[in-house]
Amino acid sequence: MQIQNPTTTTRCNELDLIATHLPLENATVLELGCGKAQMTHRIAELFPSAHIIATEVDQIQHAHNLTSEHPTSIEFKAGGAQAIDAPDNSMDVVFMFKSLHHVPCELMAQAMQEIARVLKPGGLAWISEPVYAGEFNEILRLFHDEKVVRELAFQAVCDAVNAGTLALVEQIFCHTESRFADFNEFDQRIIQVTHTNHQLDDALYQTVKARFEAHIGAEGARFENPARFDVLRKPYCAL
């Protein structure tokens, strides 16, 4: 397995990849670490027959999700990936969208075990993680360097595959796009998130702002972000 593929320059849309690679019609789906649930809503729109259980460990964001307008196919639950409130062999698909590296380091292996536990035999896990590269990453690392936790998240996936807990189906590498109208939107979406307490003094805040605003054009700021998508399957029979 590779943590990144520096030669990949293809731009992709993650939802298009999901539609191509995963059987979601009438599926029971679990999303771990749904955040503001943007992807949850998009999957629900694209696959209205799927039942989606979306979990979030951040209590503030979870409360917002509960009171938000959402289709009946989405069920929000509080909880972390390391202790999933779901029966064994109950999920067709499990998603983690850039959330594995947010699991406490000492609990990442347990999270992978939990994913395997709740998946049905033959069920699929989609683990998307940002690659530690690119202009957006260079801005992020000024106040929140994720190099170590991203490496540990990758190692947790590798360990699960090497142990036979989950089998590797495919690794997909491509570039996704992030867009921001201005620095205020970046501030609200990235710096002011409730799941992480970013502490920036005024000098660092101004440095981040200047670095970000160097990328603003006529249509705001756009970033191409290298990403990795690990597609895993629960074996039909334990090894």
Side-chain angles (χ1 to χ4, degrees):
M1 296 180 67
Q2 296 175 262
I3 193 170
Q4 62 180 335
N5 183 349
T7 64
T8 297
T9 58
T10 304
R11 183 185 294 180
C12 65
N13 178 292
E14 188 167 6
L15 276 174
D16 291 341
L17 291 176
I18 288 168
T20 301
H21 288 80
L22 300 180
L24 291 178
E25 296 292 346
N26 300 304
T28 302
V29 177
L30 174 65
E31 182 187 352
L32 299 170
C34 66
K36 295 181 180 180
Q38 293 104 324
M39 286 294 286
T40 320
H41 282 268
R42 291 170 186 167
I43 292 170
E45 292 171 4
L46 195 59
F47 298 96
S49 65
H51 173 62
I52 306 170
I53 300 168
T55 71
E56 176 54 47
V57 72
D58 174 23
Q59 292 294 332
I60 296 174
Q61 185 59 57
H62 175 60
H64 288 321
N65 292 341
L66 286 174
T67 58
S68 67
E69 184 176 344
H70 57 274
T72 57
S73 61
I74 298 175
E75 177 184 357
F76 289 113
K77 286 188 176 183
Q82 68 272 14
I84 300 172
D85 181 17
D88 296 358
N89 307 314
S90 58
M91 301 294 165
D92 295 297
V93 175
V94 174
F95 286 114
M96 292 194 82
F97 296 115
K98 302 177 184 177
S99 58
L100 180 56
H101 68 272
H102 290 294
V103 174
C105 299
E106 68 276 10
L107 297 175
M108 289 181 183
Q110 185 173 323
M112 297 304 298
Q113 290 283 347
E114 280 287 272
I115 290 171
R117 178 183 67 80
V118 301
L119 275 173
K120 298 175 183 178
L124 295 170
W126 178 276
I127 313 292
S128 69
E129 282 286 303
V131 169
Y132 192 78
E135 293 295 332
F136 187 77
N137 185 71
E138 289 302 302
I139 296 171
L140 180 66
R141 68 192 288 264
L142 291 172
F143 62 94
H144 187 64
D145 195 330
E146 295 183 332
K147 184 176 190 296
V148 171
V149 293
R150 293 187 196 179
E151 290 173 348
L152 290 172
F154 173 70
Q155 190 60 52
V157 174
C158 290
D159 290 346
V161 170
N162 291 336
T165 306
L166 293 164
L168 177 65
V169 176
E170 185 176 4
Q171 283 192 300
I172 303 167
F173 295 92
C174 63
H175 288 192
T176 61
E177 185 181 63
S178 295
R179 296 186 183 189
F180 302 88
D182 51 28
F183 180 73
N184 182 61
E185 183 182 353
F186 173 85
D187 188 12
Q188 293 300 313
R189 284 172 51 189
I190 306 299
I191 300 177
Q192 304 301 328
V193 291
T194 56
H195 61 70
T196 304
N197 184 19
H198 293 133
Q199 296 288 339
L200 284 71
D201 59 29
D202 186 62
L204 179 55
Y205 186 84
Q206 294 303 322
T207 297
V208 172
K209 183 178 181 181
R211 185 74 66 86
F212 176 89
E213 290 185 338
H215 295 274
I216 293 181
E219 299 180 347
R222 293 186 178 187
F223 299 92
E224 286 202 11
N225 306 316
R228 184 185 74 253
F229 308 103
D230 295 327
V231 188
L232 312 171
R233 176 179 284 116
K234 180 175 179 175
Y236 288 95
C237 299
L239 297 180

